[in-house]
Amino acid sequence: IACNREALKIDPSFAEAYGNLGNVLKELGELDSAIELYRRAISLRPTFVDAHANLAAAHMRKGEHAIAIAWYRSALQLNPGLADAHCNLGALLRRAGDHEAAKRCFSQAIRLRPDSESAWKLLAATLKREGDLTNSIAAYREAIRLKPDADACSNLGNALKDKGLVKEAIHCYMTAARLMPRFAAAHSNLGSILKEQGKIDQALAHYHEAIGI
């Protein structure tokens, strides 16, 4: 902080210093101050794409989603190659109910960065919400291939269960529980599916495990 403030004393029009200060304050949770600094940076250099994207992220963290959407779109107009911006914009659009636009964002993020497990997971969740289980399952599998994750395994289990692939769903829930032993949702899901199979004792064991967590 001190170095950037010193730089601004020497050159008050140094947009990058305002942006750097904004980044520090954003990480400290001082979002209003960070937003003011990003806006100052943009006023000095309107094409400062990082400031646009970071301003969007600050508004997103504040829960000001409509403003965040506008600034992410502004950042992407300046640089369409920002995978994280596409991913975050997609998450906001999904929350707003615009699933088609969200899918386009996630797909573009994946084209730019095929190893982005977060983009694959968000795409998978959006596809599942729309009832496209086949493509949702494929997207979850790719996310897990890139980075095994308890939450993704559990969500893949849900999609497999909805598609009637019960054995595969059980395997996913067990994998999720192994990756995160205190994952209540995985144990609860296992309990439900085992109960449906008539395996009451096993189901109760997982229900008790979930309750204990």
Side-chain angles (χ1 to χ4, degrees):
I1 292 177
C3 290
N4 285 293
R5 292 196 188 282
E6 191 62 31
L8 288 171
K9 287 180 183 178
I10 298 169
D11 182 4
S13 65
F14 189 16
E16 285 82 357
Y18 285 106
N20 291 338
L21 273 173
N23 291 340
V24 173
L25 293 176
K26 177 162 66 72
E27 291 308 308
L28 292 172
E30 298 180 25
L31 298 177
D32 289 330
S33 296
I35 285 168
E36 183 179 344
L37 288 164
Y38 291 138
R39 288 184 180 274
R40 177 63 174 155
I42 292 166
S43 72
L44 290 166
R45 185 149 65 86
T47 59
F48 189 1
V49 64
D50 287 349
H52 286 250
N54 286 323
L55 178 55
H59 281 294
M60 185 176 182
R61 283 177 60 175
K62 281 192 72 179
E64 296 170 345
H65 295 160
I67 301 172
I69 286 170
W71 281 109
Y72 274 127
R73 283 177 167 156
S74 179
L76 289 167
Q77 282 184 333
L78 292 169
N79 183 358
L82 299 174
D84 286 344
H86 282 289
C87 202
N88 290 336
L89 176 58
L92 290 165
L93 292 169
R94 178 172 175 254
R95 182 186 291 266
D98 192 346
H99 293 159
E100 286 301 317
K103 285 192 297 183
R104 289 194 296 272
C105 288
F106 301 141
S107 296
Q108 182 61 18
I110 289 165
R111 279 191 288 272
L112 292 166
R113 191 186 300 163
D115 62 349
S116 173
E117 78 280 355
S118 60
W120 282 107
K121 285 192 289 187
L122 286 164
L123 177 61
T126 306
L127 290 165
K128 182 177 183 298
R129 189 182 181 98
E130 292 189 323
D132 186 352
L133 294 175
T134 298
N135 286 316
S136 174
I137 288 166
Y140 274 129
R141 289 192 190 281
E142 180 62 16
I144 292 164
R145 185 190 70 80
L146 290 165
K147 184 178 179 181
D149 173 86
D151 188 61
C153 287
S154 182
N155 287 329
L156 173 57
N158 293 338
L160 290 165
K161 180 184 175 184
D162 288 351
K163 199 168 175 62
L165 300 172
V166 175
K167 287 185 179 179
E168 291 184 56
I170 290 173
H171 174 74
C172 287
Y173 293 142
M174 287 183 169
T175 301
R178 186 177 69 251
L179 290 169
M180 188 187 295
R182 295 186 61 78
F183 189 9
H187 288 289
S188 179
N189 288 334
L190 269 170
S192 296
I193 204 167
L194 290 167
K195 179 185 173 185
E196 290 174 9
Q197 290 187 318
K199 299 175 181 178
I200 305 302
D201 289 341
Q202 293 180 54
L204 284 172
H206 285 287
Y207 281 136
H208 284 309
E209 188 74 26
I211 292 167
I213 294 168

